[in-house]
Each structure stands twice: as C-alpha cells, then as structure tokens.
Amino acid sequence: MEATYDRASEVKAFDELKIGVKGLLDAGVTQIPRIFHHPHLNLTDSNLLLSSTTMVIPTIDLKGGVFDEYTVTRESVIAMIRDAVERFGFFQVINHGISNDVMEKMKDGIRGFHEQDSDVRKKFYTRDVTKTVKYNSNFDLYSSPSANWRDTLSCFMAPDVPETEDLPDICGEIMLEYAKRVMKLGELIFELLSEALGLNPNHLKEMDCTKGLLMLSHYYPPCPEPGLTFGTSPHSDRSFLTILLQDHIGGLQVRQNGYWVDVPPVPGALLVNLGDLLQASCYCDMIQTVRLIQIYICLCDLFCSL
C-alpha cells in the first residue's frame, strides 16, 4: 500500500544486506522490491524504438594501431573517426590491439566475481568513496528516485595502479592486464581524435585526458519483472572517453534523433563513446574547428572510462 511504503528504510535494508541484486535473485525472489520500480517506464511504446537495421554504427579498423609507414591509411582512419563523432558521437573499433582471448578472459573473470558466493563478494561491498576497489548495487542508490537492476565492481586502474592483492582473486590479474591494454588503446584514440580536429596528435593527451582510468564492471542478472525496471537508466558518461566491452547478450541502446536504437554486439569490437568532459573541452577550446560533439546514452555491460 502507498501509505506504508517507506523508500528510505527499504533502500537502507537492501544496502545493508550487501548481496546486491544477484543476492536477491539467489534468494529466490519472484517480485522485485519496490525500490527498483520505475513508475514512468513504458517499454510498449514502439514509436520510441527503431529497428537496429535503421542505424549502423560506424566500425573502424584501427589496423592494430600501426600507421607510421602508412600515412594514407592513417589519414583514412582519421577521416572516418571525424565523420563518426560529428554524425553519431560514437563508433566501434576492430583490430584495436586487444586480443579476443584477453577480452573473453576479462568477461569471464567479471562474471565469475559476480556469480561467486555472496560471502566472498561481501568483502568488497562498500560505499566508501576513498576505497580503490568497490562492489555495490547502484552508486546513486540513496539519491535516485528508482534503483536499477544492476550490480557493479568498480576500480580506479590509473594513474595509481592497484596492487594485485587488493583486487578480487578471481579476476584481479585479468583486470590489470586488460586495463594496461585499454590505456594503450585510449592513448591512440586520443591521438586520432586530436588529428581529426586538425590539432597536434598530443593535444588531448597534453590536456591530461589519458591520465586516469576507471573500470566499471556491470552485471545484470535475470530480472523476474523486467517490465518494471531498467538495467541502466538513460544517462551520459561523465568522462572524456568510454571504451565499452559488450558481452554476447547485448542490451546496449543509444538515443539517435529522438529515438532509442539497439546496438547489437559485434564480435571482437569495442565501442567508443565520447563523454561529457570531452564534449565540453571540444566545445570550449575548439568551437571553430568542429561542431559540438553529441552525447549518447548507453546501456552497458562492461566499460572503461578515461
């Protein structure tokens, strides 16, 4: 009953369990708690969802990042990136230097963390912002009007690289390996973006765009009432750049021309999304060079923000 619903108390009770939504599912819930309900959610409005065939995200072959001897190839890649960010604000990359083996091990490791015994996960459960490694459900659980059906393992991987012993045993080593490769890829993408803007290749790097790396590893367990909640609410990324690794299930959507559009996963590809900070930087510093880069909303499985 409406009169008996005390959201603050129910949020606190859920958080203190320290088991996340995966723990609720393991406990056998058949109805999701009221705190996860999104009252205005309407998934039946077909007018707001375009077929995935109506929009194709640009897929750019980075040629392994080796361009020094192939000036024409580099210029071609830069031209494709320029077109992608002006038209869409995001693009997918292949031949990006991160092997399929590393990406699969990363997904397996994160899935393993979220699916291990809740007593093991609880050791990392915290909302202490000073902690390098944090596991919880919904970073904005206490401030958002509705929670999302999602758990997250988050960790700052740069500029200060965490010690192996501080990371979860089941995925710590692959997190470090994946982060190292993502940092290298991020530096390359910032070079190409700088050149796409007609600037020195090191321009964005010299603005310290490549110094920090936050790894957010999201997990969306099956939801008994998916029509009542989101996995991730509509949002823009508060970063310079997001490099997103999807699993095979999909679920990613972006907003294009007022419509939500499905973005199916491409085997071996990573999705690059320009974030709020890069949008602001480009608009303020280079408004005469490129039009305002658009921000799109992602429903993501695993991503790294630089």
Side-chain angles (χ1 to χ4, degrees), residues 96-111 171 173-175 177-179 181 245-246 267-270 302:
H96 40 63
I98 304 177
S99 69
N100 286 338
D101 181 62
V102 169
M103 291 192 294
E104 290 303 315
K105 286 181 178 178
M106 183 64 195
K107 288 185 286 188
D108 289 344
I110 295 304
R111 187 179 299 110
C171 59
E173 289 187 8
I174 190 60
M175 287 174 68
E177 179 65 21
Y178 184 71
R181 295 172 185 263
L245 170 61
Q246 290 196 79
L270 292 167
L302 175 69

Side-chain angles (χ1 to χ4, degrees), residues 9-266:
S9 295
E10 293 192 21
V11 164
K12 186 173 184 293
F14 165 70
D15 195 34
E16 290 179 346
L17 290 173
K18 298 184 177 182
I19 58 174
V21 294
K22 179 60 165 61
L24 296 180
L25 190 67
D26 292 341
V29 298
T30 57
Q31 294 181 319
I32 64 174
R34 178 72 175 275
I35 64 173
F36 294 97
H37 289 195
H38 288 249
H40 304 296
L41 181 61
N42 183 4
L43 299 181
T44 62
D45 189 349
S46 59
N47 292 327
L48 296 180
L49 184 62
L50 292 177
S51 167
S52 60
T53 60
T54 63
M55 174 184 172
V56 178
I57 293 177
T59 299
I60 300 174
D61 188 342
L62 294 183
K63 311 295 183 182
V66 181
F67 302 115
D68 293 342
E69 300 177 4
Y70 306 99
T71 304
V72 175
T73 300
R74 186 180 182 98
E75 290 177 352
S76 174
V77 169
I78 291 169
M80 287 188 285
I81 289 178
R82 182 187 301 114
D83 180 68
V85 298
E86 287 185 353
R87 293 174 57 203
F88 303 104
F90 56 91
F91 53 92
Q92 300 203 78
V93 291
I94 57 174
N95 290 330
H96 40 63
I98 304 177
S99 69
N100 286 338
D101 181 62
V102 169
M103 291 192 294
E104 290 303 315
K105 286 181 178 178
M106 183 64 195
K107 288 185 286 188
D108 289 344
I110 295 304
R111 187 179 299 110
F113 171 83
H114 286 285
E115 294 181 354
Q116 65 187 331
D117 189 89
S118 61
D119 288 338
V120 181
R121 300 198 308 269
K122 279 182 180 180
K123 297 176 183 178
F124 294 92
Y125 197 99
T126 182
R127 295 194 181 276
D128 185 347
V129 296
T130 66
K131 297 290 186 181
T132 301
V133 183
K134 296 184 287 294
Y135 160 65
N136 57 47
S137 183
N138 290 258
F139 74 94
D140 57 353
L141 181 66
Y142 287 89
S143 59
S144 64
S146 301
N148 292 313
W149 193 256
R150 180 193 73 240
D151 297 329
T152 302
L153 174 67
S154 63
C155 181
F156 281 98
M157 307 299 292
D160 299 319
V161 180
E163 300 293 336
T164 304
E165 56 267 25
D166 294 330
L167 298 168
D169 293 338
I170 198 169
C171 59
E173 289 187 8
I174 190 60
M175 287 174 68
L176 291 168
E177 179 65 21
Y178 184 71
K180 181 173 64 175
R181 295 172 185 263
V182 166
M183 285 293 286
K184 185 176 180 180
L185 173 60
E187 290 180 357
L188 171 63
I189 292 174
F190 276 119
E191 283 184 14
L192 299 174
L193 284 170
S194 294
E195 292 185 64
L197 292 165
L199 302 168
N200 181 288
N202 293 321
H203 185 92
L204 291 173
K205 289 197 290 186
E206 290 171 354
M207 292 172 60
D208 292 340
C209 292
T210 63
K211 277 197 171 181
L213 176 64
L214 172 63
M215 182 178 289
L216 299 174
S217 304
H218 297 315
Y219 181 79
Y220 308 97
C223 181
E225 296 181 295
L228 297 179
T229 191
F230 279 118
T232 298
S233 300
H235 69 282
S236 60
D237 292 343
R238 295 178 292 179
S239 62
F240 281 103
L241 198 70
T242 293
I243 298 177
L244 170 64
L245 170 61
Q246 290 196 79
D247 63 13
H248 65 286
I249 296 174
L252 175 67
Q253 292 182 323
V254 299
R255 194 167 178 86
Q256 171 73 0
N257 297 327
Y259 294 90
W260 288 105
V261 183
D262 287 325
V263 183
V266 174

